[in-house]
């Protein structure tokens, strides 16, 4: 069932239409928004009625209301092409009379319709327009609703960062109102949980689903409880915590049966099948899938059964009318009876054809889906094999290349130490050879860092350490490198001690790369700063330089693998386009984020935000 409640509904009693005015037309429109799918014919009737009366009363908003009701009628009839046409006309009419509240409603209707026909990009376009208008309007509940809807679109498009930003905005705006009991953010928390689940961040998803379960249990919201239990079961399945997953999946099934909801029961069977498959109980999984299929097929044909019921009701009405006529005209009895039998036979034949067609369509769709799934599995297996071969080749080549570079380093140092036998020019050449060897070894290590999954497989070692002392250690480590270019290194930190719980090794790697880059791209005699600051529930690490800077157009590609930018090191140092991509991977591994602000000729500032 679909509901259109964006502007709210006011239920009134319409007793007579003899003295219709514009207020009653508006109230009648509001009442239509509450009609369920079984009253869609009434929506169509009232759409025509409002149009005629509005024209008679010269009510300029009547055309907007009538067009929207026509769109809702077509939408509920699953005629999306016609619905979109009416919604577009409603949008145009709202803009013509400068009615922003109806313009936002039309934009939302269009987004919902395009989402239903699986065109999320088009839906996003209309939701973005709606969001801009909601922000200008300043009504927080409407803005939160728009952010939620838009976030769902972004999640479906796998644009997870954009989805997260919108949901965090919704939480920030809604919390003050939620504390006062004026709104509920349950749908926002559920969307945040689903977002983390899509990103396979199950630990982050878990608290949101648990929070919603507690809230819905407190409010005795059985539908909400069912959704929360099913989400928790899904998370625990992915975490391979099968006892917890079983508890939530079975309780979700019990609640679905209690609610007598076939769709909820079907989804619960699907979750139990997934759980059984993960546990290796394939016989159980098969039985659950059969139950899911039986329910899903029943739901698929529910519209057909409604049609059958309507046909039967019309038949019974005809039968009653025939009985009345029998009392009046006994002569026509046999003719009327024969006609009724013919209608029954035709109705039964139509019913049989509809059921057969529905079964064939469902079976063919299932076969195509199975074939597609088999092809995807085969392609994934092939990609895994190719990826494994690629990683093996990289490891072999890197290992073989490392040996000659190590040999160059060893013998070069032997020759360099024997200064009595080398002229000044030869000594300079030997320094160049050793430098080239070191660059070669560094390049191999960075290629391995980027191409292999060693960062992701690094066993996280969390420890609590003080950041000011850590920053001073990092600066001391790079003083020899900076001294060669007469660059002054500085530490900026608060007087109080600031601690963080994280992997010190990975944080060190982040800072090493950023400080190394800052020194490379800073001219002689300039400055480089490393700053530490407190950001409430996070800490900020900034590395700032007075270097050559980066063009604005190149900033979006800064953290890509092997990216080459126009900026060059100031003293001929080597740059391979790998360091910042490694930094981004490490930052994401410890649940942080990194940004860069830069301007050519004025230096750069890299900021890393990490949770405390």
């Amino acid at each position: 069932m679909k509901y259109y409640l964006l502007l709210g509904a006011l239920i009134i009693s319409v007793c007579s239409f003899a003295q219709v005015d514009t207020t009653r037309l508006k109230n009648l429109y509001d009442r239509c928004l509450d009609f369920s799918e079984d009253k869609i014919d009434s929506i169509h009737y009232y759409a025509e009625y409002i149009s005629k009366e509005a024209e008679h009363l010269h009510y300029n908003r009547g055309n907007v209301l009538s067009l929207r009701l026509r769109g809702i009628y077509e939408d509920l009839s699953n005629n999306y092409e016609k619905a979109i046409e009416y919604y577009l006309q409603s949008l145009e009419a709202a803009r013509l009379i400068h009615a922003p509240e109806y313009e936002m409603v039309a934009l939302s209707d269009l987004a919902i319709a395009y989402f239903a026909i699986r065109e999320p990009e088009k839906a996003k376009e209309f939701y973005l327009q709606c969001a801009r208008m909601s922000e200008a309007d300043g009504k927080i509940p409407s803005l939160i609703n728009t952010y939620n809807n838009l976030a769902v679109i972004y999640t479906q498009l796998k644009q997870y960062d954009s989805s997260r930003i919108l949901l965090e905005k919704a939480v920030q705006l809604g919390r003050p109102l939620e504390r006062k009991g004026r709104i509920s953010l349950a749908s926002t928390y559920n969307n945040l949980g689903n977002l983390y689940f899509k990103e396979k961040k199950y630990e982050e998803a878990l608290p949101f689903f648990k929070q919603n379960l507690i809230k819905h249990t407190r409010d005795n919201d059985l539908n909400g409880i069912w959704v929360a239990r099913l989400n928790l079961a899904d998370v625990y399945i992915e975490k391979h915590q099968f006892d917890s997953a079983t508890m939530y999946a079975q309780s979700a099934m019990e609640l679905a049966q209690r609610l007598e909801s076939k769709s909820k029961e079907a989804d619960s069977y699907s979750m139990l099948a997934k759980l059984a498959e993960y546990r290796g109980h394939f016989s159980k999984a098969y039985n659950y899938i059969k139950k899911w299929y039986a329910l899903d097929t029943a739901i698929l044909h529910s519209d057909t059964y409604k049609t059958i019921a309507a046909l039967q009701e019309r038949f019974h009405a005809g039968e009653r009318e025939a009985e009345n006529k029998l009392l009046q005209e006994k002569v026509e009895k046999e003719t009327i009876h024969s006609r009724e039998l013919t209608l029954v036979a035709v109705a039964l034949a139509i019913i049989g054809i509809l059921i057969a067609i529905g079964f064939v369509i469902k079976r063919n769709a299932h076969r195509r889906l199975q074939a597609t799934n088999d092809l995807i599995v085969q392609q994934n297996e092939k990609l895994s094999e190719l990826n494994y071969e690629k990683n093996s080749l990289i490891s072999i080549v890197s290992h073989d290349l490392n040996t000659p570079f190590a040999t160059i380093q060893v013998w070069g140092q032997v020759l360099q130490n024997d200064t009595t036998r080398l002229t000044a020019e030869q000594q300079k050449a030997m320094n160049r050879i050793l430098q080239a060897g070191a660059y070669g070894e560094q390049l191999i290590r960075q290629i391995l860092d980027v191409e292999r999954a060693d960062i992701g497989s690094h066993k996280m070692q969390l420890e609590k350490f003080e950041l000011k002392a850590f920053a001073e250690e990092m600066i001391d480590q790079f003083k020899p490198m900076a001294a060669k270019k007469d660059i002054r290194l500085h530490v900026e930190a608060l007087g109080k001690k600031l601690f963080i719980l994280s992997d010190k090794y990975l944080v060190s790697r982040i800072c090493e790369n950023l400080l190394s880059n800052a020194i490379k791209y800073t001219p002689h005699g300039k400055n480089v700063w490393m700053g530490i600051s407190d950001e409430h529930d996070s800490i900020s690490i900034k590395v700032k330089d007075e270097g050559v800077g980066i063009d604005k157009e190149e900033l979006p590609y800064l953290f890509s693998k092997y990216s080459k930018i126009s900026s060059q090191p100031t003293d001929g140092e080597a740059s391979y386009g790998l360091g910042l991509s490694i930094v981004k991977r490490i930052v994401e591994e410890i649940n942080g984020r990194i940004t860069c602000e830069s301007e050519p000729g004025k230096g750069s500032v890299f900021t890393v935000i990490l949770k405390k």
Side-chain angles (χ1 to χ4, degrees):
M1 185 182 296
K2 297 178 182 178
Y3 298 94
Y4 294 82
L5 301 172
L6 291 175
L7 296 179
L10 179 61
I11 300 177
I12 64 168
S13 175
V14 181
C15 302
S16 170
F17 300 117
Q19 298 176 344
V20 176
D21 58 20
T22 57
T23 301
R24 296 190 68 188
L25 285 182
K26 175 62 171 60
N27 290 340
L28 180 59
Y29 160 80
D30 288 336
R31 184 183 177 188
C32 289
L33 298 181
D34 272 343
F35 285 173
S36 55
E37 292 180 17
D38 59 345
K39 294 183 180 179
I40 60 174
D41 289 338
S42 298
I43 294 175
H44 186 268
Y45 170 80
Y46 288 125
E48 296 292 335
Y49 178 81
I50 290 172
S51 178
K52 291 178 183 178
E53 292 298 328
E55 184 178 357
H56 176 70
L57 295 168
H58 304 290
Y59 179 42
N60 63 353
R61 297 196 174 199
N63 189 37
V64 178
L65 306 183
S66 174
L67 286 170
R68 187 184 182 217
L69 289 180
R70 287 190 175 101
I72 292 173
Y73 168 78
E74 299 294 347
D75 200 334
L76 293 174
S77 303
N78 295 322
N79 186 1
Y80 293 110
E81 182 178 356
K82 199 69 177 175
I84 289 171
E85 181 181 343
Y86 280 126
Y87 288 151
L88 286 170
Q89 291 178 23
S90 177
L91 175 62
E92 184 179 359
R95 287 174 173 170
L96 189 63
I97 63 173
H98 305 291
E101 67 276 19
Y102 292 111
E103 185 178 345
M104 285 191 286
V105 170
L107 290 170
S108 182
D109 288 338
L110 285 163
I112 292 169
Y114 276 110
F115 187 79
I117 60 175
R118 298 180 182 178
E119 290 194 29
E121 284 288 354
K122 198 70 177 175
K124 182 180 78 172
E125 175 187 329
F126 288 109
Y127 268 139
L128 283 172
Q129 294 181 53
C130 192
R132 285 192 287 269
M133 293 191 69
S134 295
E135 287 172 348
D137 187 45
K139 292 181 180 177
I140 292 178
S142 173
L143 187 56
I144 290 172
N145 184 59
T146 302
Y147 283 161
N148 267 311
N149 293 333
L150 191 53
V152 171
I153 300 292
Y154 277 123
T155 300
Q156 189 183 52
L157 293 171
K158 297 183 179 180
Q159 297 176 9
Y160 300 134
D161 290 341
S162 298
S163 179
R164 182 179 295 103
I165 290 170
L166 289 171
L167 291 173
E168 287 175 351
K169 282 184 177 180
V171 171
Q172 184 180 4
L173 288 172
R175 270 181 180 162
L177 297 180
E178 186 181 42
R179 293 190 192 103
K180 297 176 182 178
R182 292 171 58 186
I183 65 169
S184 170
L185 292 176
S187 61
T188 306
Y189 297 139
N190 190 67
N191 289 340
L192 277 166
N194 285 326
L195 169 62
Y196 282 119
F197 186 88
K198 289 285 187 182
E199 293 180 309
K200 298 183 179 181
K201 297 178 179 178
Y202 306 119
E203 289 295 339
E204 286 84 348
L206 199 55
F208 290 105
F209 294 147
K210 285 183 176 179
Q211 180 179 354
N212 268 6
L213 179 59
I214 293 169
K215 184 184 186 306
H216 293 313
T217 302
R218 185 175 61 244
D219 297 341
N220 198 29
D221 178 1
L222 298 183
N223 288 312
I225 293 171
W226 176 82
V227 171
R229 286 178 179 177
L230 207 67
N231 284 335
L232 285 167
D234 212 0
V235 170
Y236 281 120
I237 289 172
E238 296 294 344
K239 286 165 63 62
H240 291 259
Q241 295 179 12
F242 297 129
D243 289 342
S244 297
T246 301
M247 179 187 71
Y248 284 113
Q250 289 178 346
S251 63
M253 172 59 76
E254 292 168 2
L255 186 54
Q257 293 170 342
R258 176 182 166 190
L259 292 169
E260 298 181 352
S261 169
K262 296 300 181 184
S263 62
K264 286 182 173 61
E265 195 173 339
D267 289 340
S268 299
Y269 275 127
S270 176
M271 188 62 65
L272 286 167
K274 179 179 177 179
L275 172 59
E277 180 188 357
Y278 270 57
R279 301 190 78 165
H281 301 160
F282 299 110
S283 177
K284 275 188 178 181
Y286 174 70
N287 289 329
Y288 285 136
I289 284 293
K290 285 200 299 183
K291 292 179 179 179
W292 163 81
Y293 180 76
L295 282 170
D296 191 59
T297 304
I299 295 168
L300 178 70
H301 293 295
S302 62
D303 289 339
T304 303
Y305 297 151
K306 289 177 184 176
T307 303
I308 294 169
L311 287 172
Q312 290 173 338
E313 177 59 29
R314 285 198 295 271
F315 164 69
H316 292 314
E319 188 176 36
R320 288 191 296 271
E321 184 180 350
E323 289 174 354
N324 291 332
K325 286 183 179 180
L326 281 174
L327 297 174
Q328 301 173 5
E329 296 185 32
K330 194 173 182 180
V331 179
E332 299 179 2
K333 178 180 178 181
E334 293 299 325
T335 305
I336 294 172
H337 184 63
S338 175
R339 188 178 303 163
E340 291 170 355
L341 290 177
T342 303
L343 288 172
V344 172
V346 171
L348 291 174
I350 292 172
I351 291 167
I353 292 170
L354 289 173
I355 292 174
I357 290 173
F359 178 76
V360 171
I361 291 172
K362 183 70 176 180
R363 185 177 60 184
N364 291 340
H366 180 72
R367 286 176 178 173
R368 288 195 298 271
L369 180 61
Q370 186 62 45
T372 302
N373 288 340
D374 291 342
L375 179 60
I376 291 171
V377 170
Q378 293 173 5
Q379 290 173 337
N380 286 340
E381 290 175 351
K382 183 63 177 176
L383 287 172
S384 296
E385 292 174 4
L386 293 173
N387 192 52
Y388 176 78
E389 292 176 4
K390 185 245 333 178
N391 288 338
S392 298
L393 180 60
I394 288 173
S395 296
I396 293 169
V397 171
S398 299
H399 179 271
D400 290 347
L401 285 174
N402 198 51
T403 301
F405 278 117
T407 304
I408 291 171
Q409 289 288 91
V410 171
W411 286 107
Q413 288 172 2
V414 170
L415 291 174
Q416 189 182 41
N417 291 336
D418 192 1
T419 55
T420 59
R421 300 180 61 182
L422 297 176
T423 66
E425 191 66 29
Q426 290 172 333
Q427 184 70 29
K428 184 177 180 181
M430 187 53 62
N431 288 337
R432 296 289 185 185
I433 292 171
L434 289 173
Q435 187 180 26
Y439 285 159
E441 285 186 306
Q442 182 184 5
L443 178 58
I444 291 169
R445 287 195 301 271
Q446 290 186 321
I447 289 173
L448 288 175
D449 274 346
V450 175
E451 299 298 339
R452 295 185 314 190
D454 61 341
I455 293 173
S457 61
H458 166 73
K459 187 176 182 180
M460 195 77 71
Q461 297 290 336
L462 296 180
E463 59 178 297
K464 193 171 185 179
F465 57 95
E466 202 277 313
L467 284 169
K468 183 178 180 182
F470 169 80
E472 290 172 349
E473 290 175 10
M474 296 302 304
I475 289 295
D476 288 340
Q477 182 179 335
F478 280 88
K479 280 183 177 178
M481 180 179 177
K484 293 180 180 179
K485 298 175 69 173
D486 195 23
I487 291 173
R488 295 175 293 280
L489 302 180
H490 310 275
V491 175
E492 292 181 342
L494 297 173
K496 66 176 184 179
K497 292 187 176 182
L498 184 60
F499 291 87
I500 185 173
L501 180 65
S502 189
D503 189 308
K504 189 173 182 180
Y505 166 71
L506 293 181
V507 178
S508 298
R509 291 192 63 184
I510 294 168
C511 297
E512 286 170 1
N513 274 282
L514 295 179
L515 284 169
S516 175
N517 277 357
I519 295 170
K520 279 184 185 179
Y521 289 90
T522 298
H524 285 256
K526 296 288 186 178
N527 296 278
V528 170
W529 295 267
M530 182 175 179
I532 306 294
S533 60
D534 192 350
E535 304 289 342
H536 301 296
D537 60 345
S538 306
I539 62 96
S540 167
I541 301 175
K542 292 182 182 288
V543 175
K544 176 183 175 183
D545 62 57
E546 296 180 326
V548 295
I550 304 163
D551 285 336
K552 184 178 180 181
E553 292 77 12
E554 295 177 339
L555 284 175
Y557 312 103
L558 195 59
F559 298 101
S560 303
K561 286 184 185 179
Y562 307 106
S563 63
K564 286 291 186 178
I565 58 176
S566 59
S567 303
Q568 296 295 322
T570 59
D571 211 23
E573 297 96 334
S575 176
Y576 309 107
L578 295 169
L580 290 177
S581 68
I582 296 170
V583 168
K584 187 173 186 293
R585 285 185 62 192
I586 299 173
V587 169
E588 290 173 349
E589 183 67 22
I590 55 179
N591 295 322
R593 52 191 174 89
I594 183 170
T595 59
C596 176
E597 300 174 14
S598 187
E599 188 176 341
K602 295 185 178 180
S604 305
V605 180
F606 286 85
T607 304
V608 177
I609 303 295
L610 300 175
K611 295 289 183 183
K612 287 184 180 178

